[in-house]
Amino acid sequence: AGWIPGITRLGIPDLYFADGSTGVGNNAGQATALPSSVASAASWDLDEAYKYGQVIGKEMSAFGLNVNLGGNVNLAGREPRNGRTFEGKGEDPLLAGTITAAHLRAIQDQYVIAGIKHFSFNDQETGRTTANVLIDDRSARESDLLAYEIGIKESGAQSVMCSYNLVNSSYGCENSYLLNNVLKSD
């Protein structure tokens, strides 16, 4: 999916990215095709969820990749036909956050940077750059943001990918409230 050259004087290595919510993507090589992430969540089994992430982390490491762009924790409840439901963890924020955390912990235990995405409210694939999610703070905190909070805190995720959509009329990657107040402060 990408490469960013490192900065030797700061001790930052080259970063080699690949998608990986359901296995190693982007034609990195022959990799295990795992069941959908929502199937992993449906098991409610944290040990199995950890093993799921372990497969992804080990294979990424074997391919020389060190940044996983998996960890989709967007909830399926608002738009179940969203096009990426298979790589999410369902519509329950507690389950989604907990299963995502197990996946990400396992990936990071293989010395691969794990990312959680798409922060936040990336509920549809079609029109995702024009969709505008209008949501009040309480509803946001009790749904998608709760899944992120659990996923980040329980995994120690080392990377967060912002969303393509607008949230309350401001793009996710430019949304000061989401990025500064919620993600960085809370």
Side-chain angles (χ1 to χ4, degrees):
W3 166 72
I4 296 174
I7 304 171
T8 307
R9 67 180 176 78
L10 297 177
I12 299 172
D14 288 355
L15 300 176
Y16 295 94
F17 298 80
D19 287 314
S21 287
T22 59
V24 181
N26 307 103
N27 298 314
Q30 285 192 321
T32 304
L34 294 167
S36 68
S37 294
V38 75
S40 174
S43 74
W44 292 74
D45 189 322
L46 293 178
D47 292 331
E48 291 302 316
Y50 184 88
K51 291 176 190 173
Y52 187 102
Q54 215 171 22
V55 170
I56 295 169
K58 284 181 179 180
E59 291 185 357
M60 289 195 75
S61 186
F63 291 129
L65 302 165
N66 58 5
V67 180
N68 173 266
L69 300 176
N72 188 345
V73 74
N74 295 114
L75 301 181
R78 266 184 294 285
E79 177 51 87
R81 304 161 298 157
N82 75 13
R84 296 184 92 152
T85 303
F86 72 95
E87 69 175 359
K89 313 312 183 292
E91 59 185 299
D92 180 88
L94 299 173
L95 177 63
T98 303
I99 294 292
T100 297
H103 288 182
L104 299 181
R105 252 192 336 272
I107 290 167
Q108 291 182 159
D109 284 349
Q110 308 311 310
Y111 304 101
V112 173
I113 294 169
I116 192 168
K117 67 180 183 184
H118 298 92
F119 189 75
S120 194
F121 308 101
N122 189 75
D123 299 329
Q124 64 188 57
E125 192 66 13
T126 302
R128 68 181 177 171
T129 60
T130 56
N132 186 12
V133 177
L134 303 174
I135 189 165
D136 65 277
D137 192 54
R138 180 175 177 177
S139 299
R141 300 260 184 179
E142 292 177 357
S143 61
D144 296 63
L145 296 180
L146 178 57
Y148 278 96
E149 180 179 354
I150 293 167
I152 291 169
K153 285 182 177 177
E154 291 186 10
S155 71
Q158 296 169 329
S159 173
V160 177
M161 182 189 296
C162 55
S163 61
Y164 301 100
N165 54 286
L166 295 119
V167 179
N168 295 325
S169 302
S170 177
Y171 280 103
C173 292
E174 301 171 353
N175 193 307
S176 180
Y177 175 74
L178 284 178
L179 298 175
N180 294 311
N181 296 37
V182 176
L183 183 60
K184 292 179 182 176
S185 297
D186 297 343

